[in-house]
Amino acid sequence: MSKPDHESLSYEEAKRNKRMKWTIGITAFVIFQVVVAVFFVLVIMKFKSPKFRVGEFDVQTLNVGTQASPSFDMSFVAPIRIKNTNWGPFKYDATTVSFIYGGVQVGQATIPKSKANFKSTKKIDVNVTLSSTSSSNLGSSELITLNSQGELKGKVTVMFMFKKTKVSQMNCTMAVNTTTKAVQSLSCK
């Protein structure tokens, strides 16, 4: 074999190696782009309903009637929490939270229109006054069991262009001890 033939063979081999490197590079880039796109769709673009809850609170005033005329008046500052687990802000409309005792609404709190930032919890303290004049099932019990219910509607925006409407429900049950004037238990669904 002559020298020029050997050089042309190594030239062809170098060309083939260069093409192989380009093919591997392009394939790796395409696979990387697919992985990024799948991650983006499965993690970032997953819209979830924010959690809408009432937290533990201290009763400021509590007046309980007698067994002959069962009633109660109560006031407290309700810590409302809106936990946004999305990768974009949650802008919600004004709403009300109803406090229910024995199937009857005894008070409500107004939540103003606002925004919960991405991956954060919005904290709102709301003054609440409850009043029940005909609490026939209060009796001699030391506990007042209240339910708080509300619905929060708003939009989650991801990357300033993808918007999705979400609705969060609040359904919390709390037991207030009339002797200690403290929340004894609180659970939210």
Side-chain angles (χ1 to χ4, degrees):
M1 205 154 115
S2 69
K3 192 171 187 181
D5 286 338
H6 181 60
E7 284 179 9
S8 70
L9 183 64
S10 69
Y11 175 74
E12 290 296 322
E13 192 174 308
K15 223 173 150 182
R16 186 172 40 243
N17 285 342
K18 189 174 184 180
R19 269 186 271 163
M20 186 63 85
K21 285 181 184 178
W22 273 99
T23 305
I24 290 171
I26 291 171
T27 304
F29 179 75
V30 168
I31 289 172
F32 175 74
Q33 291 298 318
V34 168
V35 167
V36 168
V38 167
F39 172 78
F40 186 76
V41 168
L42 293 179
V43 176
I44 306 294
M45 296 300 292
K46 196 173 202 177
F47 294 94
K48 300 172 210 130
S49 290
K51 293 183 182 356
F52 181 38
R53 307 278 187 259
V54 64
E56 295 245 352
F57 55 87
D58 292 324
V59 177
Q60 293 172 334
T61 62
L62 176 61
N63 299 317
V64 180
T66 63
Q67 211 167 3
S69 66
S71 64
F72 71 87
D73 292 310
M74 183 186 323
S75 67
F76 55 90
V77 176
I80 306 294
R81 304 293 181 249
I82 302 161
K83 184 177 181 181
N84 182 15
T85 58
N86 293 297
W87 287 91
F90 175 64
K91 293 180 182 176
Y92 55 89
D93 298 326
T95 189
T96 58
V97 175
S98 299
F99 289 88
I100 299 163
Y101 175 75
V104 177
Q105 182 175 326
V106 292
Q108 67 180 17
T110 302
I111 310 298
K113 178 179 179 177
S114 188
K115 170 177 97 167
N117 288 323
F118 70 98
K119 295 285 185 186
S120 68
T121 301
K122 175 82 173 184
K123 298 172 178 124
I124 305 164
D125 291 331
V126 181
N127 291 321
V128 179
T129 302
L130 307 180
S131 180
S132 176
T133 54
S134 59
S135 303
S136 59
N137 53 356
L138 185 61
S140 62
S141 174
E142 290 184 358
L143 292 178
I144 298 173
T145 304
L146 298 167
N147 289 336
S148 62
Q149 297 176 345
E151 183 176 84
L152 191 66
K153 293 180 184 176
K155 288 186 179 179
V156 176
T157 306
V158 175
M159 295 185 59
F160 305 109
M161 63 177 117
F162 301 108
K163 293 183 180 182
K164 185 144 187 180
T165 301
K166 286 295 186 183
V167 178
S168 293
Q169 300 287 334
M170 175 193 287
N171 187 5
C172 297
T173 303
M174 59 207 82
V176 178
N177 191 317
T178 57
T179 50
T180 61
K181 296 183 180 182
V183 176
Q184 191 165 312
S185 67
L186 173 68
S187 66
C188 294
K189 296 176 186 173

